[in-house]
Amino acid sequence: MQYTETMTRAEDRSARDSDIDPASEDSQLEDPALEADVFARDCGSREVLQDVTSRWGLLALGALYDGDLRFSALRRRVQGVSERMLSVTLQTLERDGFVNRTVLQSIPPKVEYSLTDLGREVATRLVGVIELVEGHLPDVEQARERYDSR
């Protein structure tokens, strides 16, 4: 059995050496998408995940999933968010490539927000989580009651 494992390792090494172009191997190592690991301390995906799943980020993306909204309509839809916090959240989501900001030519100027293709993909998944949580809210409330009664 040990011989077979040794042969397998040698065969693997030989196959790797003959099949991989050193230039493409280096480019794969430099590709950030291949290195992303949200569980790693310094991974950039943690910051992006935090932006998307923050209280207001999640709700803004969920609201925009239903269609483009002007700032004031978005603020009314996401009840409880301050104007400043919504503005900061939208800037962050725009910077991350999830949201488009369009200034409409009118007097006074109006701004409309929409999802990018990436934003729509993320929002689709977030809406699924939102619907799952809303659908199981009675179960969560019962679990909380059981926990609190201990």
Side-chain angles (χ1 to χ4, degrees):
M1 180 153 170
Q2 188 175 19
Y3 176 74
T4 305
E5 289 176 0
T6 305
M7 288 298 292
T8 303
R9 288 185 194 139
E11 291 168 356
D12 287 344
R13 202 172 19 257
S14 173
R16 264 185 288 155
D17 293 343
S18 64
D19 292 342
I20 296 178
D21 174 21
S24 68
E25 186 176 20
D26 290 341
S27 66
Q28 286 179 351
L29 293 175
E30 293 173 8
D31 184 355
L34 297 176
E35 297 175 19
D37 178 5
V38 75
F39 297 103
R41 179 181 316 173
D42 297 326
C43 183
S45 63
R46 275 192 182 187
E47 182 181 351
V48 176
L49 190 62
Q50 184 176 346
D51 295 342
V52 167
T53 60
S54 70
R55 170 195 252 175
W56 305 120
L58 181 126
L59 294 175
L61 290 168
L64 289 170
Y65 178 78
D66 293 331
D68 302 354
L69 292 171
R70 292 201 338 239
F71 184 86
S72 56
L74 186 54
R75 185 161 179 238
R76 282 191 302 275
R77 178 75 175 109
V78 182
Q79 297 176 10
V81 66
S82 70
E83 188 172 315
R84 172 76 178 134
M85 194 67 237
L86 182 58
S87 178
V88 168
T89 298
L90 290 169
Q91 287 172 354
T92 300
L93 293 172
E94 182 182 12
R95 179 175 180 256
D96 288 343
F98 299 115
V99 170
N100 287 318
R101 179 181 185 269
T102 305
V103 178
L104 305 172
Q105 298 300 321
S106 64
I107 297 178
K110 296 176 183 172
V111 177
E112 187 173 83
Y113 292 90
S114 62
L115 295 174
T116 63
D117 290 341
L118 178 59
R120 178 147 304 281
E121 186 176 342
V122 169
T124 299
R125 295 173 189 226
L126 291 175
V127 166
V129 171
I130 290 168
E131 290 171 349
L132 178 70
V133 169
E134 287 176 339
H136 288 279
L137 192 56
D139 299 329
V140 172
E141 290 170 346
Q142 287 176 0
R144 286 178 174 176
E145 286 175 14
R146 283 191 306 272
Y147 181 88
D148 293 343
S149 69
R150 290 194 268 176

